[in-house]
Amino acid sequence: MSDKLRNYINGEWVASSAEIYLDVENPATGEVLAQVPMPDGKDMDQAAEAAQAAFDGWRRTPAGTRIQELFKLKRALDENFDAIAEIITIECGKTLAEARGEMIRAIENVEVACGIPRMMQGDVSEDIARGIDEMMIRQPVGVCGCIAPFNFPGMISFWFLPYAIACGNPFIVKPSEKVPLTMQKIFQLVDEHLDLPAGVLQMVHGGKESVDAMLDHPVIRAISFVGSTPVARYVYSRGTANGKRVQAQGGAKNPIIVLPDADMDMTVKIAADSAFGCAGQRCLAASVAVTVGDAGKTFTDAIAEAAASRVTGYGLDAGVQMGTVVDKNSAARIEGLIQKGADEGANVLVDGRNAQISGYENGSFVKPTVLSGVNPSGEIARTEIFGPVLSLIQVNTIEDAIAFVNGGQYGNMACLFTQSGYAARKFRYEAQAGNIGINIGVAAPMAYFPFSGWKDSFFGTLHGQSGHAVEFFTQTKVVVERWPKEWSRQF
Ligand code: NAD
């Protein structure tokens, strides 16, 4: 019998009020790992009230004291690094190396947030008029929360969590119901190793009902969402209609452009890692490769070979280069979209459908797939697939390629492969995306840069991580002061 997961509310592990529980499965083996509660809004309401009760004491705790808890968190994450990475692989299906990579970025965000005593400092101007001073101070906004997707169970909450609490806000995490075990482990570490006041850091499981309760609860002041575009749009509009700050990161359809002068060996290796790494389930995965002029033939042959030779299997097994997709529904949806591409006239150059992995017959595997001759206006060229599928499009000029990039619905990432500084500069300047890679395939910002997309990849203003997070999790107050000499005792 597998475990029924509990929420972490007010400093304690609390049984959910849910009547419905979903199985959490290992996507490679089909083994049931645990059961996750799917409550109505009551659990979230309980956490919101505990957070509100904790707020005043936490905001009055000096920032230098607050970040001591981040040092403890970093130490706990470091000491349990391999155990957490293994849970990520077991519940999410990616390789162990990929799981470790995401925890490195999670920890990096904790490290950057340790600078918050300096990062949330305000500004002062003396003598804006004679004897009058003006200052801008930053104060925490109040109870905050985040809603996470399935593809980075360890990392994504950390784009927000360490900044929110270091700025003096209580914070509630709502993990993806598909992969709740990683956060469960991290909150065990929070419970055992940190000395946070009860209610400052909480976790509530669930799906839409927990999200809706977060969007509607009046004490929750700011929400960070990461997931698909339709849900991001919904979270943004309902949350802002309720007067909350919302930053909502959505889906993607990331193009990479290959010019004829690109270093082809390097480009193909990087493009394959971008398209097939994490089984294509990265918001910064390459999904379309646009080849310009002579680049087409060489790139097509080489990427097909790279796709066909990539070793797919269980992420815990040695030598595996690509794991599963998240579940069977996802595998069926991806295979349906590959068929859609074929129906639209694309050539399925490498076909990853109906993958059989010996010893894992029950696994949710789709192998690397390459579609060539894709119609730039077809559905397969425009729809987010979120699987290991790369569509190839051939154009004649860099202008045609940039027009394709800028004609898309999304704007999360766009990359260019070239040895021309002029072309690189033109692309950086003109491409409409929040993250640009030049001879880079996954242009993921370090924790000390802001992270988010443009267009339908993002709803809001301030992005995740670093200085943007500090601005999102604080509100400014401007004070103008006059202290006439005649009012004061003379010394
Ligand atoms: P999802 O939108 O299905 O779910 C995300 C979260 O929203 C989950 O916690 C889920 O419980 C909740 N949710 C789902 N449906 C809801 C609804 N109708 N109402 C309220 N809440 C709901 O996304 P996913 O499948 O978990 O993740 C994959 C998506 O996330 C992809 O589209 C990917 O591009 C995107 N993503 C974007 C970024 C980014 O930085 N822009 C990063 C990672 C993933």
Side-chain angles (χ1 to χ4, degrees):
M1 188 62 195
S2 56
D3 282 350
K4 282 190 164 172
L5 301 182
R6 288 182 292 169
N7 297 317
Y8 188 73
I9 295 178
N10 208 18
E12 291 182 343
W13 291 103
V14 183
S16 169
S17 63
E19 287 170 7
I20 301 167
Y21 280 76
L22 296 181
D23 286 345
V24 181
E25 288 182 17
N26 179 327
T29 63
E31 180 198 353
V32 176
L33 303 166
Q35 292 186 304
V36 64
M38 299 295 282
D40 61 17
K42 278 202 262 334
D43 295 7
M44 186 62 74
D45 290 350
Q46 198 187 341
E49 277 139 37
Q52 181 65 4
F55 177 43
D56 192 55
W58 187 238
R59 66 165 286 213
R60 290 173 194 274
T61 304
T65 306
R66 293 196 298 254
I67 63 161
Q68 298 309 312
E69 299 305 318
L70 295 189
F71 290 124
K72 293 177 200 166
L73 179 58
K74 173 178 159 51
R75 197 171 313 125
L77 294 173
D78 281 343
E79 285 170 4
N80 293 274
F81 185 81
D82 287 330
I84 299 170
E86 196 169 314
I87 296 171
I88 293 174
T89 294
I90 289 171
E91 71 172 348
C92 187
K94 61 180 69 174
T95 68
L96 207 45
E98 290 164 346
R100 290 193 178 115
E102 79 162 274
M103 282 317 296
I104 289 171
R105 183 55 48 84
I107 293 168
E108 192 185 289
N109 272 288
V110 179
E111 292 165 355
V112 171
C114 288
I116 270 174
R118 176 76 180 91
M119 289 161 85
M120 73 181 288
Q121 258 179 7
D123 293 321
V124 181
S125 287
E126 286 185 330
D127 291 320
I128 57 157
R130 188 176 291 269
I132 297 180
D133 304 329
E134 181 161 336
M135 63 198 78
M136 191 272 294
I137 52 182
R138 288 192 174 277
Q139 296 192 334
V141 291
V143 180
C144 303
C146 84
I147 301 153
F150 76 79
N151 62 329
F152 286 95
M155 176 183 72
I156 284 179
S157 303
F158 281 83
W159 293 346
F160 317 108
L161 181 161
Y163 304 97
I165 61 170
C167 286
N169 306 284
F171 194 73
I172 305 169
V173 178
K174 205 297 282 173
S176 165
E177 65 276 28
K178 292 181 183 167
V179 291
L181 296 173
T182 306
M183 266 306 135
Q184 193 83 12
K185 172 73 182 171
I186 290 172
F187 270 78
Q188 276 163 11
L189 299 176
V190 166
D191 186 48
E192 287 162 19
H193 296 275
L194 276 60
D195 300 293
L196 287 168
V200 168
L201 192 51
Q202 305 181 92
M203 176 180 60
V204 176
H205 290 294
K208 179 173 169 48
E209 288 72 17
S210 289
V211 171
D212 285 349
M214 189 185 270
L215 292 170
D216 291 344
H217 201 291
V219 303
I220 296 182
R221 301 308 312 143
I223 295 178
S224 307
F225 171 88
V226 182
S228 59
T229 287
V231 185
R233 187 181 275 118
Y234 164 75
V235 165
Y236 185 78
S237 52
R238 185 157 168 172
T240 52
N242 283 334
K244 302 180 197 312
R245 289 184 179 194
V246 181
Q247 47 181 196
Q249 316 207 14
K253 180 77 181 177
N254 302 306
I256 60 171
I257 298 178
V258 184
L259 295 188
D261 70 340
D263 176 330
M264 211 45 88
D265 288 346
M266 184 197 79
T267 301
V268 168
K269 187 184 169 313
I270 293 175
D273 285 343
S274 177
F276 310 129
C278 295
Q281 299 173 124
R282 264 195 292 233
C283 61
L284 298 180
S287 185
V288 181
V290 183
T291 49
V292 178
D294 297 345
K297 171 94 181 81
T298 335
F299 182 79
T300 303
D301 292 348
I303 197 78
E305 197 186 321
S309 61
R310 206 165 183 93
V311 181
T312 306
Y314 185 24
L316 286 187
D317 290 346
V320 167
Q321 295 171 310
M322 196 183 90
T324 66
V325 296
V326 71
D327 57 23
K328 291 209 167 56
N329 288 341
S330 182
R333 191 185 50 77
I334 294 163
E335 295 197 347
L337 283 163
I338 296 170
Q339 186 57 44
K340 176 84 191 167
D343 295 345
E344 287 180 346
N347 174 24
V348 187
L349 204 56
V350 181
D351 192 346
R353 288 175 290 182
N354 305 311
Q356 290 301 319
I357 307 294
S358 172
Y360 301 102
E361 285 71 18
N362 203 21
S364 303
F365 292 99
V366 179
K367 284 191 178 179
T369 297
V370 179
L371 302 173
S372 64
V374 169
N375 174 357
S377 53
E379 187 182 332
I380 196 75
R382 303 281 173 185
T383 304
E384 178 174 40
I385 299 175
F386 222 54
V389 181
L390 186 65
S391 296
L392 307 186
I393 288 174
Q394 173 69 28
V395 298
N396 294 327
T397 65
I398 186 172
E399 284 78 16
D400 294 341
I402 294 175
F404 174 80
V405 169
N406 290 348
Q409 175 191 359
Y410 300 103
N412 218 31
M413 181 188 79
C415 300
L416 179 74
F417 292 85
T418 184
Q419 295 187 40
S420 158
Y422 173 78
R425 199 257 173 197
K426 175 183 173 67
F427 180 75
R428 164 165 63 79
Y429 192 80
E430 295 180 10
Q432 294 170 7
N435 301 286
I436 299 291
I438 306 288
N439 297 313
I440 297 288
V442 180
M446 298 292 284
Y448 38 89
F449 283 90
F451 184 10
S452 207
W454 285 15
K455 303 206 281 189
D456 277 3
S457 295
F458 182 61
F459 303 89
T461 311
L462 293 165
H463 296 181
Q465 302 193 146
S466 187
H468 276 227
V470 175
E471 281 194 52
F472 186 76
F473 292 118
T474 55
Q475 51 196 341
T476 57
K477 183 183 272 182
V478 174
V479 182
V480 188
E481 290 188 349
R482 182 204 311 269
W483 293 104
K485 187 176 177 189
E486 53 274 25
W487 294 353
S488 298
R489 275 178 61 198
Q490 303 303 306
F491 302 104

